[in-house]
Structure formats: C-alpha cells, structure tokens
Amino acid sequence: MSTIPGDPSTLPAPGTVLRELVLITGISGSGKSVALHALEDAGYFCVDNLPPELLREYMGLSHPRYTQKVAIAVDVRTAGSLPVLVPLIDELRREGVAIRPLFLDASTDTLVRRFSETRRPHPLSQPEADGSGQHALIEAIELERLMLAELRELSTVIDTSTLRPAGLRSHVRDLVAAANSRITLVFESFAFKYGVPLDADYVFDVRVLPNPYYERDLRALTGRDAPVAQFLAGQPEAAEMLSQIETFIRRWLPALATDQRGYVTVAIGCTGGQHRSVYMVEQLGRRFADHGATVVRHRELVAGD
C-alpha cells in the first residue's frame, strides 16, 4: 500500500506523541558520522550502527526521549540485515513514524582519497598481500554501491564529494529544519567543471546565458551580489529560462509529492558555479518561498567552509 505524506490515514491518532526518525545511510567514507554529530547538536537523540532488524523494536520504546526525535545511522557493517530495511521503512511510516532517510554519497575518487588519508580499511575490503590495495578498495566501494542501491533510491541523497565537515553539517541542519509534511525543495548551484552533483534529481544547464565573469567589475563578485543580479536580471534569456524552470517545477511538484518524495533537489550549473547558477538558484528560492519548505545551497561557495 502506497502512502501520501500528510494523508490522514497515515497520521497518528490524536494525542499520540509523534515519533520523528532521521535515518542516515550511505557509502562508507561519505561523512555519516559528521551528519550524525550535526543532528546531535540539533537536539536529536543519536544512535550509530543500529542493526536494521532492531529498528522496529527501538522505535517502539515507550520513553519519548529516545524515540520522539531520533537520528539513527545504519551502514554496510550490518550488510546481512540491509534487505529488511526498505520494506521496514514503509511499515513504520504506516504506523505513524515520520521517517526521513538521508543517503550520503561521494565520488569514487574522493572516497579512495579519504580512505588513503585516514588509513582506515573499508568495511568490505580484505588486505591484499600482492600490494593491490587500491584496486581492492575500488572494488569494495562499487560492491557497496550495489548493495545500497535500493536504499539510495528512496532517500534524499547528499553529495559530499566537495564538502568539508562544516559545510556538510550546515547542509544536514538546513534539510531537517526545512522538512515538514510537504515536500522539501532543494535548489543547488554548482560548476560543471567540478562535476554534476550526485544528489541532483533535476539538472539545468545555464551556461548559455551571458556570463558576468567577462565583465571586469563583476568578475570577483557572485550571483548573490546586487551588481551581478542586476546584470542578469537585465538579460531577456535569463528571465525566460528562469520562468521555464519555475513552470516545470510547479507543473510536476504535486506529482512528486504523491510519490512519497521527501525532498527534490534541483541543480543549476554554470561554468564556475559563482555567477549565473548562483543567481538562478537565489531567484528560484525567492519564487518558491510560498512553498514553505525550501533550501538554497551553493556548492562551490560552501565547499571550502
């Protein structure tokens, strides 16, 4: 049975204490511990590496402190139990638990570098006597991607490839703060030269628009600065593209909301991720302010935080 967020048939009975669960999963080395610490700072009771088969029991505890607002991290260390997690999420939702699955991901190159820097073994890797350690690590990462693919599909994906811990903590806090019974819209600017974000549901390319970078007085500024915004607001192409993106999102937002989507990430890309994409994301954030649950994020501006 499918459920619609906010459908009265899925809500707890009057007087019932709402149980809120942020379920953190993802690829090893992608920053799950950082995300869990961010939620702990935000007032969530946090549990790391809970076996999936114990999730229902845990959420059934009678003490509100442990279940009213909780964040639980589950990863591939409990690989044998992962198949039960996907149907369990649907079951708990029908029982009145407000579950928000967050899936942390990163590019393979980034993960290899992180494991090399920390000298920590991947949970699925085995020591190689012939010195082929990196090859074995890449194989372990790809195997983990396959094992978690179904879980990734039903989660909000956060690409941590270019994020430092402070940036990831900020993004996680923004996401959980914006979440409510409605679908959360995430507008994210990025630079194509650094790759398309792994967490994007929709990608729009605005490199065809006039580039403020070639205006000497605007080069050092960003799309959040008034002179750049005024320059792009005066370009008919920018206004037309902005209107078309807004129309597309408004047309399909109701359908996405009925598909149990907690979040939708709309990524806007330009060459350097400083001017055109930033301006477009800022404008979309303003245009969808009436939606309520909206997050604006600029990947290249926060990557070094």
Side-chain angles (χ1 to χ4, degrees), residues 170-298:
S170 175
H171 190 38
V172 169
R173 286 194 298 266
D174 287 344
L175 281 175
V176 297
N180 54 26
S181 60
R182 308 171 67 185
I183 193 169
T184 299
L185 279 173
V186 181
F187 294 108
E188 178 179 19
S189 68
F190 72 96
F192 272 100
K193 66 180 181 179
Y194 299 126
V196 176
L198 297 175
D199 49 10
D201 295 299
Y202 296 100
V203 177
F204 294 94
D205 184 349
V206 299
R207 287 176 292 185
V208 297
L209 301 180
N211 193 350
Y213 178 84
Y214 296 111
E215 302 291 325
R216 181 177 300 176
D217 294 338
L218 303 180
R219 180 173 297 185
L221 304 177
T222 76
R224 291 189 293 193
D225 294 313
V228 174
Q230 291 167 3
F231 172 85
L232 288 168
Q235 309 299 322
E237 308 99 309
E240 182 178 2
M241 184 173 286
L242 192 59
S243 177
Q244 290 174 344
I245 295 173
E246 179 186 7
T247 299
F248 175 85
I249 297 170
R250 290 197 185 277
R251 164 63 182 85
W252 293 106
L253 195 56
L256 291 166
T258 62
D259 193 33
Q260 295 193 48
R261 299 292 295 271
Y263 307 83
V264 171
T265 299
V266 179
I268 312 289
C270 62
T271 305
Q274 302 292 315
H275 300 99
R276 293 165 293 181
S277 62
V278 172
Y279 167 78
M280 298 291 278
V281 161
E282 288 288 327
Q283 293 303 308
L284 287 167
R286 292 188 179 95
R287 293 191 179 201
F288 282 89
D290 62 322
H291 175 71
T294 303
V295 174
V296 168
R297 178 172 178 247
H298 303 294

Side-chain angles (χ1 to χ4, degrees), residues 40-87:
E40 187 174 30
D41 292 342
Y44 286 78
F45 185 85
C46 296
V47 181
D48 190 15
N49 197 28
L50 182 76
E53 61 266 36
L54 297 181
L55 184 57
R56 180 192 293 281
E57 261 185 82
Y58 181 88
M59 294 307 296
L61 294 175
S62 58
H63 200 305
R65 178 173 181 268
Y66 302 130
T67 58
Q68 187 173 353
K69 192 175 180 182
V70 61
I72 294 177
V74 175
D75 59 33
V76 79
R77 287 175 288 178
T78 54
S81 305
L82 287 175
V84 308
L85 193 53
V86 172

